[in-house]
Amino acid sequence: MFLSKKWIWLGSVFFFAAWMFFSSCEKDQFNTNPNDEIQFSRDTLTFDTVFTSLGTITKSIKVINPFNRDIKISRIRLKSNTSVFRLNINGVPGNTAENIILEAKDSIYIFVAATIDPTAADLPFIYFDDIIFEYNGRTSEVNVMAWGQNAYFHYGETISGNVTWDNNKPHVIVGKTNADGLFVPGVLVNCGAKLTIDKGCRIYCFSNAGMYSWGTLEVNGTKEDSVIFQGVRLESFFNQLPGQWQGIAILRGRGGCNSNAKLSYCTIDESSFGLLVGTDTTSPDQFDNVSRPKVDLNACLIRNCGFGLYQAGGFPFGGLNAFNADLTVQNTIVHNTTGNAILLILGGKYFFNHCTIYNGGSTGIQHQEANWLASNFIQSGMSVYTNAFDSLHILNSIIYGTLDEELSFNIYESTPSSDLQPRIENCLLKTKLKTDTTGFYNIIKNENPLFKDGFRGNFTLSSGSPCIDRAIPTASTTDFTGSSRPSGMAPDIGAIEFQ
């Protein structure tokens, strides 16, 4: 059957009218006014310093339609075709998307991350790009920016000779399984080897990594150019968050060589166990005096440490942890730790002079353990191990915090009191202990040291502090900041001299 020309003409008119109707409906559905701009939660998205080859965290931009009708975004894209940035647009990975419907009074999210390839530059460099939004015959844009930094990467590295780390680029430490199938948790200085870290070095560690030494570790920071160990994430969210990497461990000597370390003007920040001296095993019976490591610290800062746990003893690590070690610690600050700021277990030989030990809690840390714990024993399962202290001398130091008791000495019931007899002189202590007995001399008890702002880590003494001019003169003639000591009639108690 054939249709007449009349019916064909009428059909054409009908379909044309229908097309016009639905086109009109679609036009009415969308806001096509070029003067109506979509809005953004931010006009610039900035990433903090990103180490080359390592990806950033993901950040987001909220794209908002404040109007009463939908807006069709014809295209969203990165301006550069060779960008270091990558997008996820409304849940779909990709650097380009088309015909995105932004519903009335609604929003979508765009997620952004970056990975920067290595270059020949030592100094930080910057990358820019723009996210372009095309709609209604106009464009809007959001700027994205990331700083890049080349670095020396140490993947499960074992040091067997004499090695020096330069400071022209940062060092990034990553745990890795080696060719023998053994996992190396960062950098390991072997027995008989030596690692020297130059002044001004910046060392960033992954969560599965730290610095371990059976040999010699020498950190040569200065007043002007300190050495800093911290987590690898530099975004503001991670700033001063504890537990981001493992820590520095000076292990017990093995194979006839004793481990030792010297750290000057060094910061250990954001780790799980801070500085750990004298253990590479969960068998406390191996913590003998012969294998005792020797460590000297001067003008060091250990802070924001925690969430590490010693499995054999079942107790949390703090800032400075030592198992039958030989420590000399001067002009050093330890604060903001989850466990004890200072933890001394199974004897040893210890001298602390002009140190400031403080805990008061923070956003990421609850202060629940005494700042200072020394114990001549450790219990592991059903077994108890004991060892006497050769000496424990605390001089010219502040041990203070928000607990009623910040000082604890534990002696196993079947051992003599001579196993742990501290000598504490010219110190300010927060304690319930009797300080008018043998072992305590010239103690300032339970007085506020009047820090400028201890909660935020400023341990400068305020005018009127009871610590001013109350210390004993020693060979320490400069303080934590490198300033001369004394500045008054006599030295001040604590790590920082009042100026």
Side-chain angles (χ1 to χ4, degrees), residues 48 60 118 154 157 174 178 285-286 424 470:
D48 296 321
S60 65
H154 306 275
E157 181 177 319
V174 188
N178 63 18
D285 58 335
Q286 298 181 24
I424 307 175
R470 297 290 295 275

Coordinates of all heavy atoms in Angstrom, one line a residue, residues 48 60 118 154 157 174 178 285-286 424 470:
D48 N 51.4 20.3 48.8 CA 52.7 20.5 49.4 C 53.7 19.7 48.7 O 53.4 19.0 47.8 CB 52.7 20.2 50.9 CG 51.7 21.1 51.7 OD1 51.6 22.3 51.4 OD2 51.0 20.6 52.6
S60 N 40.3 17.2 46.8 CA 39.0 17.3 46.1 C 38.6 18.7 45.9 O 39.0 19.6 46.6 CB 37.9 16.5 46.8 OG 37.6 17.1 48.1
P118 N 61.2 12.3 38.1 CA 62.5 12.9 38.5 C 63.0 13.8 37.4 O 62.8 13.6 36.2 CB 63.4 11.7 38.7 CG 62.5 10.5 38.9 CD 61.2 10.8 38.1
H154 N 66.3 5.3 49.3 CA 67.0 4.2 49.9 C 65.9 3.1 50.1 O 65.1 3.2 51.0 CB 67.6 4.6 51.2 CG 68.6 5.8 51.1 ND1 69.9 5.7 50.7 CD2 68.3 7.1 51.2 CE1 70.4 6.9 50.7 NE2 69.5 7.8 51.0
E157 N 68.0 -0.7 52.1 CA 69.4 -0.6 51.9 C 70.2 -1.0 53.1 O 70.0 -0.6 54.2 CB 69.7 0.9 51.5 CG 71.2 1.1 51.2 CD 71.4 2.6 50.8 OE1 70.5 3.1 50.0 OE2 72.4 3.2 51.2
V174 N 62.6 3.7 52.3 CA 61.5 2.8 52.1 C 61.9 1.4 52.4 O 63.0 0.9 52.0 CB 61.1 2.9 50.6 CG1 59.8 2.1 50.4 CG2 60.9 4.4 50.1
N178 N 64.8 -7.8 50.1 CA 66.0 -7.8 49.3 C 66.1 -9.1 48.4 O 65.2 -9.9 48.4 CB 67.3 -7.7 50.2 CG 67.4 -8.9 51.1 OD1 66.8 -9.9 51.0 ND2 68.2 -8.7 52.2
D285 N 66.6 -12.0 77.8 CA 67.8 -12.7 78.4 C 69.1 -12.4 77.6 O 70.2 -12.7 78.0 CB 67.6 -14.2 78.5 CG 67.3 -14.8 77.1 OD1 66.8 -14.1 76.2 OD2 67.6 -16.0 77.0
Q286 N 68.9 -11.8 76.4 CA 70.1 -11.5 75.5 C 70.6 -10.0 75.8 O 71.5 -9.6 75.1 CB 69.8 -11.7 74.1 CG 69.4 -13.1 73.7 CD 69.1 -13.3 72.3 OE1 69.5 -12.5 71.4 NE2 68.3 -14.3 71.9
I424 N 69.6 12.3 91.5 CA 68.9 13.4 90.8 C 69.2 14.7 91.5 O 68.9 14.9 92.7 CB 67.4 13.1 90.9 CG1 67.0 11.7 90.3 CG2 66.6 14.2 90.1 CD1 65.6 11.4 90.4
R470 N 69.3 28.1 88.7 CA 69.2 27.1 89.7 C 70.0 25.8 89.4 O 69.9 24.8 90.1 CB 67.7 26.7 90.0 CG 66.9 27.9 90.5 CD 67.2 28.3 91.9 NE 66.9 27.2 92.9 CZ 65.7 27.0 93.4 NH1 64.7 27.8 93.1 NH2 65.5 26.0 94.3

